[in-house]
Amino acid sequence: MLFGSISYLNLLPFQVFLKHYISNNAFKMSLHYKRAVPSQINKALKRRAIHAAFISSVESRKCKCTDLGIIAHKKVYSVLLLEGENQTDPASATSNQLARILDLQGQVLIGDTALKHYLDGGEGIDLAEEWYDKTGLPFVFARLCYNKHGKSIEKLAKRFAKSKVKIPQYILKREAKKRDISPKELTWYLEHIYYEMDWKAKRSLRLFLTITKNNS
């Protein structure tokens, strides 16, 4: 199985879970990773270069998807719009569309770079917060989708949804150091992300996909 991997901090709990799940699972899936930014992962899943991945919500419309997503209630801190000329983030798909449908002007900044910008005191509009202010709903940035090994992926998704993942200290310290932030800041950030698609998240996703389709 080829699993698309995005090396942003918002997927760290899932990545820790996945390694543990695979090493302890009876059927011992043969798993290989393909690492890339979200926009590249979207294309790889579509052309079947990978079999499963968290892909941008805006690209998930026609995909087979689980009930796992990358979801933020109000602020997310890692998807920002900076003051200045309009500029999309080439690594993103959903966030660029979100800024457009919110009719906001500026530079889209996503992922760990955006989080570091915020933690360093940089200013910017939090796009998840803007969506919440307009809709009263959380925002779904990505979904776990697949084109093969459906039963295995669905089983994995359900297991993750029921799990309470504890990230080992050595991993927290290592990942924090890579991004020049503290383990405490990393943990604080992850408290603002959740993964199971509840009814509010599903309603929000339907609304977002409807708006983007009507504005395409």
Side-chain angles (χ1 to χ4, degrees), residues 147-172:
N147 55 38
K148 197 175 180 181
H149 305 292
K151 289 184 179 180
S152 296
I153 296 298
E154 290 286 356
K155 183 178 178 181
L156 183 152
K158 290 176 182 177
R159 182 73 62 84
F160 177 68
K162 295 178 180 179
S163 301
K164 292 184 178 180
V165 179
K166 185 175 182 180
I167 302 172
Q169 279 297 314
Y170 78 93
I171 293 180
L172 283 175

Side-chain angles (χ1 to χ4, degrees), residues 3 14 17-18 21 29 54 65-69 143-146 149-163 195-197:
F3 205 105
F14 180 77
F17 162 83
L18 190 58
Y21 179 85
M29 285 190 298
F54 280 88
C65 300
T66 69
D67 278 340
L68 288 187
R143 303 169 72 188
L144 176 58
C145 302
Y146 56 88
H149 305 292
K151 289 184 179 180
S152 296
I153 296 298
E154 290 286 356
K155 183 178 178 181
L156 183 152
K158 290 176 182 177
R159 182 73 62 84
F160 177 68
K162 295 178 180 179
S163 301
Y195 303 95
E196 189 171 9
M197 299 267 294

Side-chain angles (χ1 to χ4, degrees), residues 66-187:
T66 69
D67 278 340
L68 288 187
I70 300 175
I71 309 159
H73 181 68
K74 299 184 180 179
K75 290 189 176 184
V76 69
Y77 300 101
S78 58
V79 180
L80 304 175
L81 190 80
L82 310 187
E83 186 177 353
E85 294 184 7
N86 277 356
Q87 186 177 337
T88 59
D89 190 320
S92 175
T94 291
S95 300
N96 294 330
Q97 286 281 4
L98 180 56
R100 185 171 69 86
I101 66 173
L102 290 172
D103 198 25
L104 295 173
Q105 310 295 313
Q107 177 189 354
V108 176
L109 191 66
I110 73 164
D112 299 345
T113 303
L115 176 63
K116 185 68 167 62
H117 173 84
Y118 172 82
L119 291 173
D120 286 345
E123 296 183 353
I125 297 171
D126 191 307
L127 291 182
E129 184 178 33
E130 286 293 309
W131 174 261
Y132 180 85
D133 288 345
K134 289 184 178 298
T135 67
L137 296 169
F139 191 77
V140 182
F141 286 96
R143 303 169 72 188
L144 176 58
C145 302
Y146 56 88
N147 55 38
K148 197 175 180 181
H149 305 292
K151 289 184 179 180
S152 296
I153 296 298
E154 290 286 356
K155 183 178 178 181
L156 183 152
K158 290 176 182 177
R159 182 73 62 84
F160 177 68
K162 295 178 180 179
S163 301
K164 292 184 178 180
V165 179
K166 185 175 182 180
I167 302 172
Q169 279 297 314
Y170 78 93
I171 293 180
L172 283 175
K173 291 177 180 178
R174 182 188 69 198
E175 296 301 320
K177 185 177 181 180
K178 283 181 183 178
R179 295 154 176 91
D180 194 26
I181 64 176
S182 71
K184 186 176 180 180
E185 288 172 328
L186 193 162
T187 303

